[in-house]
Amino acid sequence: MTTPAADLADPAAYAEAIETAVKAAAAYYATGDSALDDDAYDRLVRGIAAYETAHPDEVSADSPTGKVAGGAVVGDVLHTVPMLSLDNVFGTEEFTTWVASVERRIGRPVEAWSVEPKLDGLAVAARYDQGRLTRLITRGDGVAGEDVSHAIGTIVGLPDRLSEPVTLEVRGEVLMTTEQFEHANTERTQHGGAPFANPRSAAAGSVRAKDRQYRVEMTFFAYGALPPADSGDLAGSMVELPHSQVLELVGRLGVHTAAETAVPPRTVTAVDAVQVRVDEIASLRTELPFGIDGIVIKADSAADQAAAGSGSRAPRWAIAWKLPAVEKVTRLLAVEWNVGRTGTIAPRAVLEPVVIDGSTVTYATLHNPADIARRDLRIGDQVMVYKAGDIIPRVEGPVAHLRTGEEEPIAFPELCPQCGSDIDTSEQRWRCVRGRNCHIVASISYAVGRDQLDIEGLGATRVIQLVDMGLIADFADLFTLRADQLLALDRMGRTSTDNLLAAIEQAKAQPLSRVLAGLGVRGTGRSMSRRIARHFATMELLRAADAEAVQQVEGIGVEKAPVIVAELAELAPLIDKLITAGVNMTEPGATPPAPGAEAEGGLAADAGPLDGMTVVVTGAMTGPLEKLSRNQMNELIERAGGKSSSSVSKRTSLLVAGEGSGSKREKAEQLGTRIVTPDEFADLVKSLLDQTD
Ligand code: IVH
């Protein structure tokens, strides 16, 4: 979806818009900082372009339209071949029109398309002379760039030496991964520098910075290469190579390309297949450890590229399919400190509401106090906020050059904001010293929730009442409640008491996965709890496992495993209490791992009707599945031997599409994925549904 262009009413508004855009582009390309986020800049430039179309006689020489980098920077190293920018499209229709225009121009269908991520960093040219990296140059105005060779050695993926002594120029994007960005801000603020607003500005600032006392790491992704002017053998043949093979060659020489990421370039022939790949890359955007702001589609063959040619600003054989902007600048109004069910104290940013990617963002996560310190955030700051898809919005950093001096430091709590106890600050995530006992209403309410123990009739109000009366101090106490105790409570009659006691009794039979989820082991959620339960099959075996054994569970790495072991130790008294109360501690259908075995435990050998399948559920469930929540559907899929997933991709084996299923169904249709109705799916997993009854 495109936001409307700025509406410029008269010559004065046009002149002012040009001034703002030129200043913003200059700041963006010089230091990576800009008072405007990408969306606002795009809107402004489109407004300027619209005004120029309507008033062709008034076009100013300063206008950023039609210029590489908005005409912002001029360097002093000439590019052998201009480093061009890309034209943009914002959706299928515009893309199809563009394809038609290319094919009209070249007089034949394009042979093949390369579809690749549009990396969100800054363009550089890396010159290799007989295999040695000799010079690094920014894009500049496209004709000449700035020599940034001092950055050589700080950029991962751009080796000093190639695997062969060839002479060529590699072109690509320098960026910072999320991790590199966090590190860069730590270093920078520790050295008294102003924090960077986001990974892109951090990369732009760091590539150009010369005399820093500290070094920060960046990452390079090649997206093209050129033979040198005085072509040797390799260079001569390169001119003829399709783009996809140029990238392969560059990769073989030891330079990093997107081939090693979750979104590698793919070559496809049909325009429909381009769309499918665009959707795939877009759906993976939130999971990538680096930023992308679109997808680049290029005619792959050298002949097609030559036939299409290039304009002064952009080639005619490539286009950027822009994805919605996921970053906006807004004001940080306050920071709230919330205590979670495990006693962790998490800061949350209160923001001046801002629309990002179609929804209004008012709160954003700030991770932990160290994170605030690292970014040197202050109340009143203009901050860069990131929000994409379903992910929780996060504050990336302040736009430091917009500071007025009126900003206030953020006050950190000295005592637990929930119960007033001391705070354990020994780890990055602060925690109330009372841990889970601090916010017991939250932890009990969570444990009895629908996706955990599923005890009906036990809403938050009732939990508060039970806690206030001293009847429960943790959720294990529920299992020893007596009717006379419940009957003595306000608004609690015979029927409600009987129903609640029956629901509690029923909860004792919940599978281990749900008991684990209810315990709220830090570092695990519902689906991880299921994986752990299926792997170990019993609580006894899980408790006996050390970090190494826990690591055998898919998705648990070296960092998480010891946390889970420590958590289980902390929870030991509660687990013991649950066992004494008669709560089930086994996972039905799961077989324990063989002693000393490396392989997963999991389900019994003939695992079930969905063995090895990846299943996605969308739309409303009906018939026998009508009452199942998404979590219950996922449980069912996994008990049947399948893997549940939330997004459709090439790896999806089956889509269960209920009423009202939209984009996931469309995508599955495009990919030729098998689609079934809820009734058909119920039939498939009938044996397991019968067991549930
Ligand atoms: S190709 C002649 N491929 O996007 C073709 N550019 O908005 C020039 N970019 O200047 C570029 N990822 O800095 C190309 N896979 C990719 C890219 C990419 C990011 C950047 C590049 C370019 C800008 C245009």
Side-chain angles (χ1 to χ4, degrees), residues 29 68 82-88 114-124 139 171-175 221-224 243 247 258 265 291-298 305 310 313-320 322:
Y29 288 97
V68 169
M83 278 187 90
L84 299 182
S85 185
L86 290 168
D87 287 331
N88 297 326
S114 171
V115 190
E116 48 197 85
K118 185 171 186 304
L119 305 144
D120 194 10
L122 71 149
V124 298
R139 183 172 72 177
R171 289 182 171 183
E173 203 83 351
V174 172
L175 49 73
F221 288 95
Y223 54 64
H243 167 73
L247 287 190
I292 64 170
D293 59 345
I295 290 105
V296 184
I297 302 127
K298 302 170 179 169
Q305 291 189 1
S310 291
R313 197 192 84 93
R316 293 195 198 92
W317 44 266
I319 198 87
K322 293 281 275 196

Side-chain angles (χ1 to χ4, degrees), residues 484-504:
D484 59 306
Q485 292 173 314
L486 292 176
L487 280 167
L489 297 176
D490 258 2
R491 296 181 310 280
M492 196 73 182
R494 186 83 239 175
T495 319
S496 322
T497 299
D498 289 348
N499 288 346
L500 182 54
L501 285 174
I504 292 173

Side-chain angles (χ1 to χ4, degrees), residues 256-580:
H256 198 201
T257 68
E260 292 136 72
T261 68
V263 286
R266 288 264 159 75
T267 315
V268 298
T269 46
V271 172
D272 285 357
V274 170
Q275 167 87 59
V276 169
R277 185 64 188 148
V278 164
D279 291 346
E280 272 176 3
I281 296 180
S283 71
L284 289 166
R285 182 186 199 183
T286 54
E287 291 161 37
L288 297 174
F290 50 83
I292 64 170
D293 59 345
I295 290 105
V296 184
I297 302 127
K298 302 170 179 169
D300 195 43
S301 90
D304 283 348
Q305 291 189 1
S310 291
S312 62
R313 197 192 84 93
R316 293 195 198 92
W317 44 266
I319 198 87
W321 182 313
K322 293 281 275 196
L323 292 174
V326 285
E327 274 179 325
K328 282 274 177 75
V329 176
T330 188
R331 190 177 294 278
L332 175 62
L333 300 176
V335 172
E336 290 178 355
W337 298 85
N338 299 311
V339 183
R341 61 192 151 78
T342 61
T344 47
I345 302 170
R348 179 166 85 152
V350 184
L351 305 166
E352 211 162 78
V354 60
V355 177
I356 311 181
D357 199 9
S359 60
T360 303
V361 174
T362 317
Y363 298 103
T365 172
L366 284 167
H367 304 293
N368 54 52
D371 197 51
I372 294 179
R374 177 166 55 231
R375 288 158 212 254
D376 181 29
L377 283 167
R378 303 175 199 171
I379 304 292
D381 262 339
Q382 295 284 352
V383 291
M384 192 65 86
V385 181
Y386 181 98
K387 147 106 178 63
D390 299 337
I391 73 159
I392 301 169
R394 64 169 188 260
V395 173
E396 298 196 287
V399 187
H401 71 280
L402 292 182
R403 281 185 173 154
T404 60
E406 306 267 293
E407 297 75 20
E408 299 277 338
I410 294 170
F412 288 10
E414 284 172 7
L415 295 173
C416 169
Q418 176 71 24
C419 73
S421 305
D422 284 340
I423 299 176
D424 175 359
T425 59
S426 60
E427 301 209 8
Q428 281 221 335
R429 265 175 179 269
W430 286 9
R431 202 173 176 210
C432 170
V433 288
R434 294 180 61 214
R436 288 182 164 77
N437 297 325
C438 166
H439 204 348
I440 49 174
V441 171
S443 67
I444 296 172
S445 297
Y446 178 79
V448 301
R450 188 171 178 206
D451 292 333
Q452 288 71 247
L453 291 178
D454 193 18
I455 303 182
E456 224 174 294
L458 206 48
T461 329
R462 190 66 78 201
V463 173
I464 294 173
Q465 206 181 14
L466 290 168
V467 170
D468 284 350
M469 297 296 289
L471 292 177
I472 57 171
D474 56 39
F475 77 86
D477 287 337
L478 289 168
F479 297 100
T480 47
L481 280 176
R482 295 187 316 269
D484 59 306
Q485 292 173 314
L486 292 176
L487 280 167
L489 297 176
D490 258 2
R491 296 181 310 280
M492 196 73 182
R494 186 83 239 175
T495 319
S496 322
T497 299
D498 289 348
N499 288 346
L500 182 54
L501 285 174
I504 292 173
E505 188 58 30
Q506 233 181 356
K508 286 186 186 169
Q510 288 287 9
L512 174 63
S513 50
R514 281 173 166 255
V515 178
L516 272 179
L519 285 167
V521 179
R522 282 189 291 160
T524 69
R526 287 190 293 262
S527 85
M528 183 61 82
S529 298
R530 285 199 295 274
R531 253 178 275 159
I532 297 174
R534 273 202 310 279
H535 181 91
F536 287 102
T538 71
M539 179 63 93
E540 202 184 342
L541 286 170
L542 170 60
R543 290 173 96 179
D546 58 10
E548 206 180 315
V550 172
Q551 254 186 75
Q552 300 299 324
V553 179
E554 191 198 331
I556 300 185
V558 270
E559 278 179 33
K560 208 172 240 182
V563 175
I564 293 174
V565 172
E567 279 284 287
L568 287 167
E570 184 181 308
L571 287 160
L574 181 56
I575 298 173
D576 289 338
K577 218 161 138 184
L578 289 167
I579 295 172
T580 312

